[in-house]
Amino acid sequence: MSEPESHLTETQTSRLKEEKWWTPVDPVDWSENSPQSIALTACALGLAIGGGLCAAVLQGWQSTGGTFGLYVAIVAMYHMLEYLSVALYNPGYLEIDSFMFNPDVGNGYITAMGVSLAEFWLEWWCGMFTGSNIRLVYLCKLVGLTMAVVGQVMRTLAMVTAKTSFNHYVATRKEKSHRLITHGIYAWERHPSYVGFFVWSVGLQTMLLNPISCVLFAAVLAYFFKRRVQREERFLLRFFGREYEQYQRQVSSLIAFI
């Protein structure tokens, strides 16, 4: 049993008066790489995936609203898988930028996605495909969806197979954990993550029936990845020497044909 208040010392009485009726808590850390920021980002992506899939199912994925919902779900899933792949297989490089919302310094990715959505809704507003061959429209959407899924699988497999040897940015120095990966999907394609992203991006524009964005995405990404591969392979030759030269001879890359 507690002491009667009359028997409390002056110091104890003073402390009782200063006590709060509520329990103070530490302020939430909303800094860029805090667990709270990452959890909130992941939650938003999960809601986007769920909401997009619901729209696709309820409205029919072939409809304008259903196609847009499916697009939102696929894009959100891409960003979620980018983060999860790093978190599971290369946690030393994990940060909120691992979601890859803005992979380039010049905001090119954000601008490109904005332009493609503007084209999609402008076409809908103008009724561009009204009266078109429905079977042909559905076929284009199905081809685009298939490309997006295949591209995503290729890219995710590349990250999972390479594990700590994978990095979102071109490595300019060889780390201790850096190994030349030649098995799995790398036995069939030298740059599966790049090819996967290319197929994914062009597939999404095909699914949205965006002829202008489809051509622009293909042209810009082909130019970007050709330059990036040339730079990356210079460092890989420096890191692995003859081992990489032999790998180049044995395994080709679709990047060369894009």
Side-chain angles (χ1 to χ4, degrees):
M1 295 179 65
S2 59
E3 278 188 88
E5 192 170 344
S6 57
H7 293 166
L8 296 176
T9 64
E10 185 177 347
T11 304
Q12 289 173 323
T13 304
S14 169
R15 286 177 180 173
L16 283 174
K17 289 180 179 179
E18 291 176 359
E19 283 183 358
K20 307 291 185 182
W21 63 270
W22 49 271
T23 304
V25 296
D26 294 330
V28 176
D29 180 11
W30 291 113
S31 59
E32 188 177 30
N33 288 304
S34 69
Q36 290 88 347
S37 296
I38 292 171
L40 187 63
T41 302
C43 179
L45 288 174
L47 290 173
I49 294 170
L53 290 177
C54 284
V57 170
L58 294 175
Q59 297 188 34
W61 72 273
Q62 302 96 332
S63 66
T64 300
T67 300
F68 177 71
L70 196 56
Y71 167 85
V72 170
I74 291 172
V75 172
M77 180 63 74
Y78 161 77
H79 291 292
M80 184 75 85
L81 288 174
E82 290 293 296
Y83 185 87
L84 283 176
S85 297
V86 178
L88 292 172
Y89 299 103
N90 199 6
Y93 287 92
L94 189 64
E95 55 184 355
I96 199 164
D97 286 341
S98 299
F99 283 109
M100 298 301 284
F101 291 123
N102 189 23
D104 58 305
V105 179
N107 297 317
Y109 173 78
I110 296 174
T111 302
M113 299 302 269
V115 168
S116 71
L117 286 177
E119 182 184 358
F120 173 74
W121 288 113
L122 184 62
E123 289 170 354
W124 170 79
W125 184 70
C126 295
M128 184 172 174
F129 294 103
T130 302
S132 300
N133 188 316
I134 295 179
R135 288 186 179 180
L136 181 59
V137 169
Y138 285 0
L139 179 61
C140 286
K141 289 187 176 185
L142 182 60
V143 169
L145 174 60
T146 303
M147 289 175 65
V149 172
V150 169
Q152 182 65 74
V153 170
M154 283 188 68
R155 183 167 175 85
T156 303
L157 275 178
M159 297 176 70
V160 170
T161 303
K163 294 183 172 61
T164 55
S165 293
F166 182 89
N167 198 309
H168 277 126
Y169 306 98
V170 175
T172 56
R173 63 179 182 180
K174 186 180 180 182
E175 303 289 345
K176 291 181 179 180
S177 61
H178 205 167
R179 301 287 184 271
L180 178 60
I181 308 301
T182 60
H183 63 277
I185 194 169
Y186 288 90
W188 303 93
E189 165 58 48
R190 211 160 66 234
H191 298 284
S193 65
Y194 298 158
V195 173
F197 185 83
F198 181 92
V199 174
W200 177 84
S201 298
V202 176
L204 280 181
Q205 300 314 307
T206 304
M207 187 183 77
L208 291 178
L209 303 178
N210 285 350
I212 297 174
S213 293
C214 194
V215 173
L216 288 177
F217 270 56
V220 172
L221 286 174
Y223 175 75
F224 172 79
F225 281 131
K226 271 194 173 182
R227 292 190 60 185
R228 184 177 174 111
V229 164
Q230 289 171 356
R231 180 169 181 260
E232 182 175 290
E233 291 200 330
R234 285 199 298 269
F235 286 108
L236 289 172
L237 285 168
R238 186 186 304 174
F239 298 160
F240 302 107
R242 291 182 179 179
E243 187 181 2
Y244 191 75
E245 288 180 359
Q246 182 180 358
Y247 177 61
Q248 280 182 308
R249 289 193 295 269
Q250 292 176 342
V251 181
S252 61
S253 175
L254 289 174
I255 291 292
F257 301 101
I258 292 175

